[in-house]
Amino acid sequence: METFETLVRAEFAAKNTYLNTASTGLLPARAVDAMRAGVESVAAGQPQDMFADVEAARAAFARLVGVPDRRVAAGASVAVYSGLIAASLPEGAEVLTAEADFTSVVNPFHVRSDLKVRTVPLERIPESVRPGTALVAVSAAQSADGRIVDLPALREAAREHGARTYIDASQATGWLPVEADAYDYVSSVAFKWLVCPRGVAFLVVPEDLGGLNPIFAGWVAGEHPWDSCYGPVEELAHSARRFDESPSLFSYAGARHSLELIEELGVDAVHAHDLALADRFRAGLAGLGQEPVPAPGSAIVSVPGLGHRQPELSRAGIEVSDRAGNLRAAFHLYNTAADVDRLLDVLSG
């Protein structure tokens, strides 16, 4: 019988101490094999049906976040989906965002000069929703330091004031249980905690499609894509597929299998595993006299003032990030207690 540990060991074989999933997740062997097969099929002049992989990946992501697959659009970039939402807002609409949130989430709202973008500290997001707020756009977990927005309080405040919610779950899906049905829009790239290749991203929309205007719709957005290749699309997809981007097929060929692995492991099990390692690191930091950015319940741990040590750690075979001056370590399913201890040992030197 396969266990969490045996499944992981069969899929991952990093040659270093890799603690940088918040930047890029490692690819499992099954995804690498699938991408290789896809590439070889095209090289041989016999392309396999990688559009089927797009649909399988869409369905797997939908299951992971608890919505029907008809509410999931498949694309390549959070910035594109943020832009889609921004373009659909009426002139003068107020958008509430968090200070120093990831650029792909907030910038599309700023480039529309006719919107009123209001920015507050992350901790004040729920209390800052007010009458007239049209949309709250925020990352579930902050890229720079792992802080998690108070999602229940945000939902309640948005409901009270009639605001829509847009959650970027790129730093959450794969380790933090995400209930996409609780929000109007949820986006996520998949190359981080979902251990997919780059070029895969998803957007969850409401059943009524959320009033979004499919401004970048191409042939894949048609209800019958292969009948929508020439001239205007006569019939847009009746589902969120009308917001699809033309897919990076090799990436989706791998993503299908990466997402299946996350399902096999179970997000709850990954969540418990990742947090145990993050908490072990936090405890070890206390012993070194270091205090991380407060981010309880996060798999991302950022230590102020230690970002400059990233090159040194990399030379020692430990991959972390330097973000906003912080040393950022991200603990995921393929990491072990030995990885944590190795990082602490080098930091103590």
Side-chain angles (χ1 to χ4, degrees):
M1 179 179 177
E2 286 189 309
T3 64
F4 186 102
E5 183 179 351
T6 58
L7 261 176
V8 170
R9 196 168 6 181
E11 295 288 347
F12 299 97
K15 299 183 183 302
N16 57 4
T17 301
Y18 190 82
L19 301 170
N20 205 20
T21 298
S23 290
T24 303
L26 299 182
L27 290 177
R30 64 178 72 182
V32 174
D33 291 343
M35 293 178 74
R36 183 181 294 115
V39 171
E40 290 176 349
S41 76
V42 174
Q46 300 172 317
Q48 63 189 37
D49 182 10
M50 287 175 276
F51 284 98
D53 295 323
V54 176
E55 296 311 313
R58 186 196 317 273
F61 180 81
R63 290 190 296 269
L64 285 168
V65 298
V67 297
D69 60 6
R70 65 180 177 272
R71 290 180 53 190
V72 177
S77 162
V78 162
V80 167
Y81 284 133
S82 297
L84 172 68
I85 295 168
S88 299
L89 291 172
E91 181 180 349
E94 179 183 279
V95 182
L96 179 64
T97 65
E99 287 180 353
D101 206 340
F102 198 75
T103 302
S104 296
V105 183
V106 299
N107 195 60
F109 300 101
H110 284 273
V111 298
R112 267 198 63 181
S113 59
D114 59 342
L115 296 179
K116 300 174 182 175
V117 182
R118 191 158 53 96
T119 302
V120 300
L122 182 71
E123 294 75 15
R124 290 180 48 203
I125 285 283
E127 70 186 61
S128 298
V129 184
R130 64 190 183 187
T133 301
L135 178 76
V136 184
V138 66
S139 296
Q142 292 293 296
S143 171
D145 52 32
R147 289 176 299 148
I148 300 172
V149 69
D150 188 341
L151 291 170
L154 169 57
R155 288 196 301 266
E156 183 58 34
R159 186 180 303 114
E160 179 182 349
H161 295 294
R164 286 191 183 271
T165 48
Y166 170 41
I167 305 299
D168 172 27
S170 296
Q171 293 289 5
T173 46
W175 72 269
L176 183 68
V178 174
E179 298 177 5
D181 197 43
Y183 315 99
D184 294 285
Y185 316 109
V186 174
S187 65
S188 180
V189 297
F191 68 86
K192 300 179 186 289
W193 305 88
L194 291 170
V195 297
C196 292
R198 280 183 176 266
V200 175
F202 300 99
L203 174 70
V204 180
V205 301
E207 286 283 1
D208 65 1
L209 305 181
L212 299 178
N213 183 15
I215 56 174
F216 58 76
W219 71 280
V220 295
E223 178 67 12
H224 306 287
W226 293 106
D227 295 330
S228 302
C229 295
Y230 307 106
V233 176
E234 293 185 3
E235 183 181 9
L236 286 167
H238 304 160
S239 67
R241 196 167 51 74
R242 65 172 52 194
F243 308 119
D244 275 17
E245 295 180 76
S246 188
S248 176
L249 291 177
F250 296 134
S251 293
Y252 273 91
R256 169 183 191 164
H257 299 279
S258 294
L259 294 168
E260 287 173 355
L261 174 61
I262 297 294
E263 286 192 277
E264 289 174 33
L265 293 169
V267 173
D268 288 340
V270 175
H271 179 253
H273 175 88
D274 291 7
L275 290 195
L277 296 178
D279 287 344
R280 184 184 185 94
F281 183 50
R282 291 186 180 97
L285 285 170
L288 298 180
Q290 298 288 342
E291 185 174 346
V293 174
S298 181
I300 300 170
V301 183
S302 290
V303 191
L306 291 186
H308 68 281
R309 298 194 64 179
Q310 182 270 325
E312 167 199 345
L313 290 163
S314 185
R315 289 192 296 272
I318 302 172
E319 292 302 324
V320 294
S321 287
D322 176 3
R323 290 292 184 272
N326 302 329
L327 184 149
R328 186 187 68 183
F331 302 93
H332 202 21
L333 56 93
Y334 31 67
N335 296 128
T336 65
D339 293 335
V340 179
D341 296 345
R342 167 80 174 135
L343 174 58
L344 289 167
D345 181 60
V346 175
L347 285 176
S348 67

